[in-house]
Amino acid sequence: MENQQFKDCIDACVACALACSQCATACLKEENVGHLTMCIQLDLECAAMCRSAAELMSLRSSFSAHLCRVCADACNACADECERHAAMGMDHCRKCAEACRTCAKACEEMATPV
Amino acid sequence: MENQQFKDCIDACVACALACSQCATACLKEENVGHLTMCIQLDLECAAMCRSAAELMSLRSSFSAHLCRVCADACNACADECERHAAMGMDHCRKCAEACRTCAKACEEMATPV
Amino acid sequence: MENQQFKDCIDACVACALACSQCATACLKEENVGHLTMCIQLDLECAAMCRSAAELMSLRSSFSAHLCRVCADACNACADECERHAAMGMDHCRKCAEACRTCAKACEEMATPV
Amino acid sequence: MENQQFKDCIDACVACALACSQCATACLKEENVGHLTMCIQLDLECAAMCRSAAELMSLRSSFSAHLCRVCADACNACADECERHAAMGMDHCRKCAEACRTCAKACEEMATPV
């Protein structure tokens, strides 16, 4: 695997973890937090997964590809949920969904290197 | 600092991080989640701090004492909030508050070694 | 999945992460550190993976099983390497190998729940 | 504290954690690893501290300032060590030292907001 691919995927994971944490914290301040609990839960799971994938890749671990496979699934699950709320005007969810999709794509490429 | 002191404080931090994560996840499933948002927020902060303190101590870092000082404050803040909800019957908050107080005490001892 | 199974696997992951970090730090103090570089590298990867698995499980994440599959592989790889050095008298490697095997077993059971 | 200041400091912490992990992994592949053990140890401590500071800041935690105070010290300690090896031609140490100094500066500003 190329160094550049590692770097791009690490950057995507770091950006996604950040967006997920900020989305969770912002959701907790929304009036209708009762509708956002699944979003917060998936934010937390996705953030933890992305931080982990970034750490393993920064160690150039041979387990990176397998971990990125799981991380891509977590990112897509979080993006699915965030997009529902983004459609209703939640800006932090829109930003989070974008970061999740970008990260899922980068992780999928890492998971199946050509 | 003694190995046993490190071990006890690591154990307390690990137990507290776990209790905080479980409390956050349980809070998200409560009907009255709107009253628990500060609790969830502090759970997340305290869990992150405790995981970090445990990691630094497991590396026998010389920064452990300073980090434990900050960690104790996070634990006490989370305990203060959880105790309010524990008084109203939230069992996960009660368990979390207990883990936070135990961890705060262990971290305070680590922060000022005799 | 049962709560007890989650709890047992979290405990095994936490203990393994701790043993791996302590093994890495102890290896760095050995005179023959030049022979232990792969051990340190795998310690770091395995510790990161175990911390991540513990965090996801403490959030009761639905991705836990998939992550535990990857974590079991990391644990077994670390155990394989540590056992070589344990056979030559490295006590921290022996303890680490034991924690890794225990964790691999717990993660494998989590990965394929019956 | 301004959002931009949080963002800049998070970015510096993330970049520093990455540089530290990569420096540690690269050090482990050097022939003269015996001279680099303190560097690896501080890399690991600094990486853990920076990941933690980034996570707490991404949660907009009120403990961010105190944690950044400790993080700045870890960054400067790691930079001091890496600079010694950078002077002898270790490129990963030079990059790591630069990331550590940048992060220390950002963390110091976060630690004492004006």
Side-chain angles (χ1 to χ4, degrees):
Chain A
M1 258 171 284
E2 297 299 317
N3 265 333
Q4 188 59 43
Q5 191 183 9
F6 265 113
K7 194 186 169 313
D8 291 347
C9 194
I10 290 169
D11 287 349
C13 284
V14 162
C16 189
L18 181 56
C20 286
S21 289
Q22 290 179 333
C23 184
T25 290
C27 282
L28 287 170
K29 290 181 182 155
E30 296 284 353
E31 262 186 62
N32 61 342
V33 63
H35 295 119
L36 295 164
T37 55
M38 178 56 73
C39 184
I40 298 168
Q41 174 73 28
L42 289 171
D43 281 340
L44 300 181
E45 297 181 17
C46 188
M49 199 73 95
C50 287
R51 279 187 270 108
S52 172
E55 186 176 356
L56 269 289
M57 283 188 281
S58 71
L59 293 168
R60 293 291 184 272
S61 169
S62 62
F63 300 103
S64 299
H66 287 298
L67 188 56
C68 282
R69 180 64 264 157
V70 189
C71 192
D73 293 343
C75 289
N76 280 323
C78 190
D80 287 347
E81 178 69 19
C82 275
E83 281 168 5
R84 292 178 46 219
H85 306 292
M88 288 181 286
M90 294 273 166
D91 197 50
H92 47 82
C93 288
R94 184 186 56 73
K95 286 181 187 167
C96 187
E98 287 176 7
C100 286
R101 292 293 182 207
T102 301
C103 189
K105 194 164 170 293
C107 283
E108 279 160 11
E109 284 169 16
M110 183 62 72
T112 56
V114 284
Chain B
M1 258 171 282
E2 297 300 317
N3 265 332
Q4 188 59 44
Q5 191 183 9
F6 265 113
K7 194 186 170 312
D8 291 346
C9 193
I10 291 170
D11 287 349
C13 284
V14 163
C16 188
L18 181 55
C20 286
S21 289
Q22 290 179 334
C23 184
T25 290
C27 282
L28 287 170
K29 290 181 181 156
E30 296 285 352
E31 262 186 61
N32 61 341
V33 63
H35 294 118
L36 295 164
T37 54
M38 178 57 74
C39 184
I40 298 169
Q41 175 72 27
L42 289 171
D43 281 340
L44 300 181
E45 297 181 18
C46 188
M49 199 73 95
C50 287
R51 279 187 269 109
S52 171
E55 186 176 356
L56 268 289
M57 282 188 282
S58 72
L59 293 168
R60 293 292 184 272
S61 169
S62 62
F63 301 104
S64 299
H66 288 297
L67 188 56
C68 282
R69 180 65 263 154
V70 188
C71 192
D73 292 343
C75 289
N76 280 323
C78 191
D80 287 347
E81 178 68 20
C82 275
E83 280 168 5
R84 292 178 47 220
H85 306 292
M88 288 182 287
M90 294 273 166
D91 197 51
H92 46 83
C93 287
R94 185 186 54 74
K95 286 181 187 168
C96 187
E98 288 177 7
C100 286
R101 293 291 183 208
T102 301
C103 189
K105 193 163 172 293
C107 283
E108 279 160 11
E109 284 169 15
M110 182 63 70
T112 55
V114 285
Chain C
M1 258 171 283
E2 297 299 318
N3 265 333
Q4 188 59 43
Q5 191 183 8
F6 265 113
K7 194 186 169 314
D8 291 346
C9 194
I10 290 170
D11 287 349
C13 285
V14 162
C16 189
L18 181 55
C20 286
S21 290
Q22 290 178 333
C23 184
T25 290
C27 282
L28 287 170
K29 290 182 181 155
E30 296 284 352
E31 262 186 61
N32 62 340
V33 63
H35 295 119
L36 295 165
T37 54
M38 178 56 74
C39 184
I40 297 168
Q41 174 72 29
L42 289 171
D43 281 339
L44 300 181
E45 296 181 17
C46 188
M49 199 74 94
C50 286
R51 276 187 272 109
S52 171
E55 185 176 356
L56 268 290
M57 282 186 283
S58 71
L59 292 168
R60 293 292 184 271
S61 169
S62 61
F63 301 104
S64 298
H66 287 298
L67 188 56
C68 282
R69 180 65 264 157
V70 188
C71 192
D73 293 342
C75 289
N76 279 323
C78 191
D80 287 346
E81 178 69 19
C82 275
E83 281 170 3
R84 292 178 47 220
H85 307 293
M88 288 182 288
M90 293 274 167
D91 197 50
H92 47 81
C93 287
R94 184 186 56 73
K95 285 181 188 169
C96 186
E98 287 177 7
C100 286
R101 293 294 182 205
T102 301
C103 188
K105 193 163 171 295
C107 282
E108 280 160 11
E109 284 170 16
M110 183 63 72
T112 55
V114 285
Chain D
M1 258 171 285
E2 297 299 317
N3 265 333
Q4 188 59 42
Q5 191 183 9
F6 265 114
K7 195 187 169 313
D8 291 346
C9 194
I10 290 170
D11 287 348
C13 285
V14 163
C16 188
L18 181 56
C20 286
S21 290
Q22 290 178 334
C23 184
T25 290
C27 282
L28 287 170
K29 289 181 180 154
E30 296 284 352
E31 262 186 62
N32 62 341
V33 62
H35 295 120
L36 295 164
T37 54
M38 178 56 73
C39 184
I40 298 168
Q41 174 72 28
L42 289 171
D43 281 339
L44 299 181
E45 296 180 17
C46 188
M49 199 74 93
C50 286
R51 277 187 272 109
S52 171
E55 186 176 356
L56 268 289
M57 283 187 282
S58 72
L59 292 168
R60 293 294 184 270
S61 168
S62 61
F63 301 104
S64 298
H66 287 298
L67 188 56
C68 282
R69 180 64 264 158
V70 189
C71 192
D73 292 343
C75 289
N76 280 322
C78 191
D80 287 346
E81 178 68 19
C82 275
E83 281 169 6
R84 293 179 46 219
H85 307 293
M88 288 182 287
M90 293 274 166
D91 197 50
H92 47 82
C93 287
R94 183 185 56 74
K95 285 180 189 169
C96 187
E98 288 176 6
C100 286
R101 292 293 182 206
T102 301
C103 188
K105 193 162 171 294
C107 282
E108 281 159 11
E109 284 169 17
M110 183 63 71
T112 56
V114 284

